[in-house]
Amino acid sequence: MKAFLRVLAALFLVPVALATLGFVLYAPVLPVRVSRAMSARQLAMTLYEGERLERTTPALRRPLWRYFHPIAGVLAATDRRLIWVGVAPRAIIDWSGDEPTRFEIRDWSYDSLVVADTRVHLGVSQGLAVRASPEASALRFAVRPIDAPTREAVVAAIDRRQEEMREEAERERIEQERAAFLARQPVYHTVERGEAVSSIAARYGITPDSLRVLNGLTNDRIRVGQELLVKPGIRN
């Protein structure tokens, strides 16, 4: 029984010791509100030329090794991508007090991005799971209940952009199918005054002999208003 209690105590004390060490080494120096303000300023410098910011929401990210000291920042939906900018907590024991602020910056293009509501912090907080694609691992962000409207606005902006991309892709598909259909159709040329077999053939990139064969001509005699086949149709 004593051995069992010692083992049990060790199993309890080791995590406590690690958590204490983690607090000492990774305690945040900046308040969350300051980190978010710094992230917002950094976000403005992260945008591409001409990129437009649409919606932002405050968020927290909690890596396992910094669970009790999250990375505070902002999630931003632009007209081109989703961006995360956060301030990594500094250690209390720094090599230099002048060490510059370290930002964590990630971005995802909308074409394959997947964003879904989820529970984080052991299921007690509401947040977002962000994946670069349906098969990719998720990066999870906590969003406070008070920031729920901004979280929903970011998700709505993403949905709107992705819907626009789907509509554009559908328009391109239809246009490609139309172009392919037209490419298979025969092309005719209506003879105008002053045109000859040689000039018509040169206009469509074929030889005069080919033009004669396509139209069953035995000579170069053509008349104004006559329709000449200059490109035969392609059968599927």
Side-chain angles (χ1 to χ4, degrees), residues 37-95:
M38 294 176 64
S39 297
R41 290 193 293 271
Q42 182 65 28
L43 172 63
M45 294 185 288
T46 303
L47 299 178
Y48 298 140
E49 183 177 357
E51 186 174 15
R52 187 174 70 256
L53 192 63
E54 295 190 338
R55 301 291 182 181
T56 65
T57 185
L60 295 173
R61 198 173 81 79
R62 291 182 182 269
L64 289 177
W65 59 93
R66 288 183 181 272
Y67 187 84
F68 295 103
H69 305 288
I71 301 173
V74 291
L75 272 172
T78 77
D79 58 341
R80 304 183 189 181
R81 55 187 172 144
L82 178 68
I83 307 173
W84 158 252
V85 179
V87 177
R90 279 187 177 180
I92 291 179
I93 305 173
D94 280 332
W95 288 104

Side-chain angles (χ1 to χ4, degrees), residues 27-172:
V29 174
L30 298 174
V32 169
R33 67 179 184 279
V34 175
S35 296
R36 286 174 175 162
M38 294 176 64
S39 297
R41 290 193 293 271
Q42 182 65 28
L43 172 63
M45 294 185 288
T46 303
L47 299 178
Y48 298 140
E49 183 177 357
E51 186 174 15
R52 187 174 70 256
L53 192 63
E54 295 190 338
R55 301 291 182 181
T56 65
T57 185
L60 295 173
R61 198 173 81 79
R62 291 182 182 269
L64 289 177
W65 59 93
R66 288 183 181 272
Y67 187 84
F68 295 103
H69 305 288
I71 301 173
V74 291
L75 272 172
T78 77
D79 58 341
R80 304 183 189 181
R81 55 187 172 144
L82 178 68
I83 307 173
W84 158 252
V85 179
V87 177
R90 279 187 177 180
I92 291 179
I93 305 173
D94 280 332
W95 288 104
S96 170
D98 298 327
E99 180 183 349
T101 301
R102 292 182 297 108
F103 290 96
E104 181 182 74
I105 301 175
R106 297 283 300 272
D107 68 337
W108 302 265
S109 61
Y110 289 138
D111 53 358
S112 57
L113 174 66
V114 178
V115 177
D117 289 333
T118 188
R119 306 296 296 185
V120 296
H121 303 169
L122 304 179
V124 300
S125 300
Q126 185 67 36
L128 294 173
V130 178
R131 290 180 170 85
S133 67
E135 300 79 19
S137 59
L139 208 59
R140 301 180 187 277
F141 300 91
V143 180
R144 299 176 303 175
I146 193 174
D147 295 318
T150 57
R151 181 195 74 223
E152 294 169 1
V154 166
V155 174
I158 295 170
D159 290 342
R160 183 174 64 256
R161 286 295 173 184
Q162 291 184 325
E163 179 62 25
E164 291 174 355
M165 294 177 68
R166 286 190 292 268
E167 291 175 353
E168 179 62 23
E170 180 64 13
R171 284 193 294 269
E172 291 180 358

